[in-house]
Amino acid sequence: MRGVILYGPPAAGKDTITRALRDLDPACRLFQRLKAGPGRTAGYRMTTVEHIDQLRAAGDVVWENHRYGAVYVVDRPTLEADLIDHIPVLHLGQVDAVQAVRSSLPDVHWLTVYVHCARNIARNRITARATGDTAARLRAWDETAPLPDASLAIDTGTTSPADAARRICEHLAQLAV
C-alpha cells in the first residue's frame, strides 16, 4: 500500500498538485479529512464535533488539528479503506501530523512531499481566493515549519503543477519496486 502526504503551508499548491496528480494517475485521490466547523466545505467530509468525539473515544483519530475555528481530522477507518482502494493524497500542514500518520500506519509506503513557495506568492494566491481570512492564513503560513526529511521538495513558485505531479508519480513508482 502506498500513500502521498503533501505537506506545506496554506496556498503552497497542494490542491492544484492533487488535481494534476489525479489527471496523470487516476489512482491518486484526495483524502478528504473530516471537518467540523465553519468555512470552506469543498475537499472535506463535513461532520459534527459529536462524531469526532466518537472517533476519538474509539481510538480512530490518527491526527486532528484546530484552525480557522474548525476541527480537521484524519480518521483511521477512512484512511485504511482509501489505502486499499487507491493511493490517497493527504494534505497536512504540521510536522507532527506527518509523524502521526507515518507511525499510525507503519506498513504503508508514504511518499512525503514538501510543497512550498515564497510568502509573497502565497499571499497573492490567498488574496485571489477572496476567502476573507488572509491574515489568518498568512499566520498559518508563517507557523508551518519546513519538512527537512521529506522524500521530495517542490517549490510551486518555480515548478508547474504538471511537472510536480510527474515528479511525484516517478517517486511513487520507485516505492512500488
Side-chain angles (χ1 to χ4, degrees):
M1 290 188 289
R2 299 175 295 158
V4 177
I5 297 172
L6 295 183
Y7 169 88
K14 296 180 293 290
D15 286 329
T16 305
I17 289 173
T18 300
R19 284 190 296 276
L21 266 174
R22 177 75 190 250
D23 290 346
L24 196 56
D25 183 350
C28 293
R29 296 186 195 163
L30 174 66
F31 173 81
Q32 293 187 323
R33 288 182 292 160
L34 288 168
K35 178 180 178 182
R40 184 173 110 163
T41 59
Y44 298 102
R45 292 175 292 130
M46 298 306 293
T47 192
T48 63
V49 171
E50 293 78 19
H51 179 229
I52 292 172
D53 288 341
Q54 292 169 351
L55 288 167
R56 227 184 267 118
D60 284 335
V61 172
V62 172
W63 174 257
E64 77 176 85
N65 68 299
H66 304 253
R67 195 172 294 261
Y68 315 120
V71 180
Y72 302 85
V73 170
V74 175
D75 64 301
R76 181 182 310 283
T78 306
L79 184 54
E80 287 177 345
D82 283 5
L83 283 159
I84 291 167
D85 293 337
H86 53 271
I87 301 170
V89 179
L90 282 76
H91 294 181
L92 300 174
Q94 300 82 22
V95 172
D96 290 345
V98 174
Q99 300 308 325
V101 169
R102 285 178 179 162
S103 63
S104 179
L105 298 154
D107 294 333
V108 175
H109 297 284
W110 290 106
L111 177 67
T112 55
V113 183
Y114 175 39
V115 179
H116 61 95
C117 64
R119 190 177 193 277
N120 66 314
I121 292 172
R123 183 182 56 248
N124 291 341
R125 291 173 180 172
I126 292 166
T127 302
R129 290 179 186 170
T131 55
D133 57 356
T134 300
R137 291 189 184 275
L138 286 173
R139 256 191 319 281
W141 192 96
D142 292 336
E143 294 169 0
T144 305
L147 188 64
D149 65 342
S151 310
L152 182 62
I154 296 174
D155 180 345
T156 61
T158 60
T159 305
S160 73
D163 284 344
R166 182 189 49 72
R167 289 177 60 197
I168 291 167
C169 283
E170 288 171 358
H171 279 75
L172 271 173
Q174 293 173 2
L175 289 180
V177 176

Tab-separated table of all heavy atoms in Angstrom, residues 2 8 11 17-18 28 50 55 57-58 63-64 68 70 73-74 79 114-116 118 131 138-139 144 148 151 158 162:
chain	number	residue	atom	x	y	z
A	2	ARG	N	0.427	2.227	-0.779
A	2	ARG	CA	1.167	3.476	-0.899
A	2	ARG	C	0.240	4.655	-0.681
A	2	ARG	O	-0.940	4.598	-0.987
A	2	ARG	CB	1.783	3.605	-2.285
A	2	ARG	CG	2.771	2.521	-2.634
A	2	ARG	CD	3.251	2.635	-4.061
A	2	ARG	NE	2.132	2.394	-4.983
A	2	ARG	CZ	2.104	2.812	-6.250
A	2	ARG	NH1	3.104	3.474	-6.747
A	2	ARG	NH2	1.069	2.551	-7.010
A	8	GLY	N	2.660	21.210	3.560
A	8	GLY	CA	3.066	22.579	3.297
A	8	GLY	C	2.076	23.575	3.842
A	8	GLY	O	1.004	23.221	4.328
A	11	ALA	N	-1.869	27.763	0.633
A	11	ALA	CA	-1.618	28.371	-0.677
A	11	ALA	C	-0.292	27.947	-1.296
A	11	ALA	O	0.194	28.586	-2.225
A	11	ALA	CB	-1.722	29.896	-0.619
A	17	ILE	N	-1.747	20.609	-7.128
A	17	ILE	CA	-0.922	19.434	-7.419
A	17	ILE	C	-1.758	18.162	-7.347
A	17	ILE	O	-1.594	17.251	-8.173
A	17	ILE	CB	0.282	19.362	-6.461
A	17	ILE	CG1	1.281	20.473	-6.805
A	17	ILE	CG2	0.970	17.995	-6.530
A	17	ILE	CD1	2.423	20.606	-5.815
A	18	THR	N	-2.676	18.088	-6.400
A	18	THR	CA	-3.523	16.901	-6.289
A	18	THR	C	-4.370	16.725	-7.544
A	18	THR	O	-4.514	15.601	-8.045
A	18	THR	CB	-4.410	16.982	-5.030
A	18	THR	OG1	-3.550	17.072	-3.882
A	18	THR	CG2	-5.299	15.761	-4.894
A	28	CYS	N	-4.508	8.139	-7.826
A	28	CYS	CA	-4.206	9.158	-6.807
A	28	CYS	C	-5.450	9.996	-6.567
A	28	CYS	O	-5.969	10.625	-7.490
A	28	CYS	CB	-3.061	10.057	-7.272
A	28	CYS	SG	-1.479	9.220	-7.400
A	50	GLU	N	-19.593	15.951	17.680
A	50	GLU	CA	-20.002	14.714	18.357
A	50	GLU	C	-19.464	13.477	17.634
A	50	GLU	O	-19.009	12.531	18.283
A	50	GLU	CB	-21.541	14.643	18.470
A	50	GLU	CG	-22.148	15.697	19.384
A	50	GLU	CD	-22.246	17.099	18.753
A	50	GLU	OE1	-22.192	17.214	17.505
A	50	GLU	OE2	-22.343	18.064	19.516
A	55	LEU	N	-15.194	9.097	17.311
A	55	LEU	CA	-13.975	8.555	16.703
A	55	LEU	C	-12.813	8.592	17.692
A	55	LEU	O	-12.049	7.627	17.810
A	55	LEU	CB	-13.605	9.331	15.437
A	55	LEU	CG	-14.484	9.111	14.213
A	55	LEU	CD1	-14.203	10.162	13.151
A	55	LEU	CD2	-14.282	7.713	13.659
A	57	ALA	N	-12.985	8.552	20.956
A	57	ALA	CA	-13.237	7.553	22.009
A	57	ALA	C	-12.912	6.140	21.526
A	57	ALA	O	-12.471	5.294	22.308
A	57	ALA	CB	-14.691	7.633	22.470
A	58	ALA	N	-13.100	5.883	20.232
A	58	ALA	CA	-12.816	4.564	19.660
A	58	ALA	C	-11.342	4.404	19.283
A	58	ALA	O	-10.924	3.328	18.839
A	58	ALA	CB	-13.692	4.331	18.428
A	63	TRP	N	-4.978	11.908	13.458
A	63	TRP	CA	-4.482	13.266	13.667
A	63	TRP	C	-5.659	14.223	13.671
A	63	TRP	O	-6.611	14.039	12.916
A	63	TRP	CB	-3.516	13.676	12.563
A	63	TRP	CG	-3.095	15.110	12.672
A	63	TRP	CD1	-3.540	16.166	11.921
A	63	TRP	CD2	-2.179	15.666	13.621
A	63	TRP	NE1	-2.942	17.329	12.344
A	63	TRP	CE2	-2.098	17.038	13.391
A	63	TRP	CE3	-1.404	15.122	14.645
A	63	TRP	CZ2	-1.287	17.894	14.132
A	63	TRP	CZ3	-0.598	15.979	15.388
A	63	TRP	CH2	-0.542	17.339	15.120
A	64	GLU	N	-5.570	15.224	14.506
A	64	GLU	CA	-6.552	16.305	14.456
A	64	GLU	C	-5.860	17.621	14.726
A	64	GLU	O	-4.867	17.674	15.446
A	64	GLU	CB	-7.709	16.084	15.433
A	64	GLU	CG	-7.403	16.386	16.873
A	64	GLU	CD	-8.637	16.242	17.758
A	64	GLU	OE1	-8.905	15.110	18.192
A	64	GLU	OE2	-9.309	17.267	18.002
A	68	TYR	N	-8.787	28.061	12.017
A	68	TYR	CA	-9.862	28.829	11.379
A	68	TYR	C	-11.225	28.547	12.029
A	68	TYR	O	-12.259	28.556	11.358
A	68	TYR	CB	-9.942	28.552	9.875
A	68	TYR	CG	-8.622	28.556	9.150
A	68	TYR	CD1	-8.184	27.427	8.469
A	68	TYR	CD2	-7.792	29.680	9.159
A	68	TYR	CE1	-6.970	27.414	7.808
A	68	TYR	CE2	-6.569	29.674	8.503
A	68	TYR	CZ	-6.170	28.538	7.823
A	68	TYR	OH	-4.967	28.518	7.171
A	70	ALA	N	-12.336	25.715	13.146
A	70	ALA	CA	-12.850	24.386	12.788
A	70	ALA	C	-11.905	23.301	13.311
A	70	ALA	O	-10.758	23.582	13.669
A	70	ALA	CB	-13.000	24.267	11.271
A	73	VAL	N	-9.789	16.382	10.918
A	73	VAL	CA	-9.407	15.069	11.420
A	73	VAL	C	-9.029	14.128	10.285
A	73	VAL	O	-9.740	14.037	9.275
A	73	VAL	CB	-10.574	14.448	12.238
A	73	VAL	CG1	-10.303	12.992	12.568
A	73	VAL	CG2	-10.815	15.248	13.508
A	74	VAL	N	-7.923	13.411	10.490
A	74	VAL	CA	-7.579	12.252	9.665
A	74	VAL	C	-8.068	11.052	10.465
A	74	VAL	O	-7.565	10.791	11.559
A	74	VAL	CB	-6.053	12.148	9.419
A	74	VAL	CG1	-5.717	10.863	8.659
A	74	VAL	CG2	-5.538	13.371	8.683
A	79	LEU	N	-9.072	6.267	6.120
A	79	LEU	CA	-7.732	6.209	5.551
A	79	LEU	C	-7.369	4.774	5.188
A	79	LEU	O	-6.845	4.518	4.095
A	79	LEU	CB	-6.704	6.809	6.507
A	79	LEU	CG	-5.270	6.901	5.996
A	79	LEU	CD1	-5.188	7.631	4.656
A	79	LEU	CD2	-4.386	7.590	7.032
A	114	TYR	N	7.298	17.908	0.421
A	114	TYR	CA	7.251	19.258	0.998
A	114	TYR	C	6.933	20.227	-0.131
A	114	TYR	O	7.744	20.465	-1.025
A	114	TYR	CB	8.578	19.590	1.668
A	114	TYR	CG	8.692	21.007	2.187
A	114	TYR	CD1	7.616	21.647	2.786
A	114	TYR	CD2	9.891	21.697	2.088
A	114	TYR	CE1	7.730	22.942	3.265
A	114	TYR	CE2	10.021	22.993	2.572
A	114	TYR	CZ	8.929	23.606	3.156
A	114	TYR	OH	9.043	24.894	3.631
A	115	VAL	N	5.716	20.772	-0.103
A	115	VAL	CA	5.233	21.693	-1.124
A	115	VAL	C	5.335	23.105	-0.534
A	115	VAL	O	4.762	23.381	0.520
A	115	VAL	CB	3.769	21.368	-1.490
A	115	VAL	CG1	3.255	22.332	-2.535
A	115	VAL	CG2	3.652	19.931	-1.976
A	116	HIS	N	6.059	23.970	-1.209
A	116	HIS	CA	6.285	25.313	-0.661
A	116	HIS	C	6.388	26.338	-1.777
A	116	HIS	O	6.521	25.988	-2.958
A	116	HIS	CB	7.547	25.331	0.208
A	116	HIS	CG	8.777	24.974	-0.554
A	116	HIS	ND1	9.609	25.921	-1.102
A	116	HIS	CD2	9.313	23.765	-0.889
A	116	HIS	CE1	10.610	25.313	-1.730
A	116	HIS	NE2	10.450	24.004	-1.621
A	118	ALA	N	7.331	30.954	-2.100
A	118	ALA	CA	7.671	32.182	-1.383
A	118	ALA	C	6.411	32.771	-0.756
A	118	ALA	O	5.302	32.613	-1.273
A	118	ALA	CB	8.304	33.190	-2.343
A	131	THR	N	-11.196	34.635	0.402
A	131	THR	CA	-11.919	33.923	1.459
A	131	THR	C	-12.179	34.793	2.672
A	131	THR	O	-12.913	34.384	3.575
A	131	THR	CB	-11.135	32.661	1.896
A	131	THR	OG1	-9.814	33.050	2.284
A	131	THR	CG2	-11.068	31.640	0.781
A	138	LEU	N	-2.093	33.696	6.426
A	138	LEU	CA	-0.676	34.073	6.431
A	138	LEU	C	-0.024	33.722	7.770
A	138	LEU	O	1.144	33.324	7.805
A	138	LEU	CB	-0.499	35.546	6.096
A	138	LEU	CG	-0.716	35.895	4.625
A	138	LEU	CD1	-0.696	37.403	4.408
A	138	LEU	CD2	0.293	35.193	3.733
A	139	ARG	N	-0.772	33.843	8.872
A	139	ARG	CA	-0.248	33.384	10.172
A	139	ARG	C	0.034	31.894	10.119
A	139	ARG	O	1.073	31.425	10.577
A	139	ARG	CB	-1.250	33.684	11.292
A	139	ARG	CG	-0.888	34.855	12.150
A	139	ARG	CD	-1.729	34.991	13.401
A	139	ARG	NE	-3.156	34.733	13.255
A	139	ARG	CZ	-4.044	35.598	12.761
A	139	ARG	NH1	-3.655	36.783	12.342
A	139	ARG	NH2	-5.315	35.283	12.696
A	144	THR	N	4.029	27.283	9.655
A	144	THR	CA	4.312	25.986	9.040
A	144	THR	C	5.819	25.834	8.847
A	144	THR	O	6.422	26.507	8.013
A	144	THR	CB	3.581	25.841	7.690
A	144	THR	OG1	2.184	26.073	7.902
A	144	THR	CG2	3.788	24.451	7.106
A	148	PRO	N	12.180	18.833	6.747
A	148	PRO	CA	13.523	18.510	6.265
A	148	PRO	C	13.701	17.062	5.806
A	148	PRO	O	14.560	16.800	4.974
A	148	PRO	CB	14.412	18.813	7.476
A	148	PRO	CG	13.512	18.747	8.651
A	148	PRO	CD	12.154	19.153	8.167
A	151	SER	N	10.601	13.195	1.302
A	151	SER	CA	11.155	12.418	0.190
A	151	SER	C	11.452	13.309	-1.007
A	151	SER	O	12.328	13.003	-1.820
A	151	SER	CB	10.164	11.337	-0.246
A	151	SER	OG	9.701	10.587	0.843
A	158	THR	N	8.204	27.895	-8.811
A	158	THR	CA	9.065	27.666	-9.976
A	158	THR	C	8.755	26.360	-10.710
A	158	THR	O	9.364	26.086	-11.746
A	158	THR	CB	10.547	27.643	-9.552
A	158	THR	OG1	10.750	26.594	-8.607
A	158	THR	CG2	10.971	28.972	-8.943
A	162	ALA	N	1.856	20.295	-13.431
A	162	ALA	CA	2.077	19.077	-14.231
A	162	ALA	C	3.459	18.484	-13.945
A	162	ALA	O	3.601	17.265	-13.805
A	162	ALA	CB	1.918	19.384	-15.719
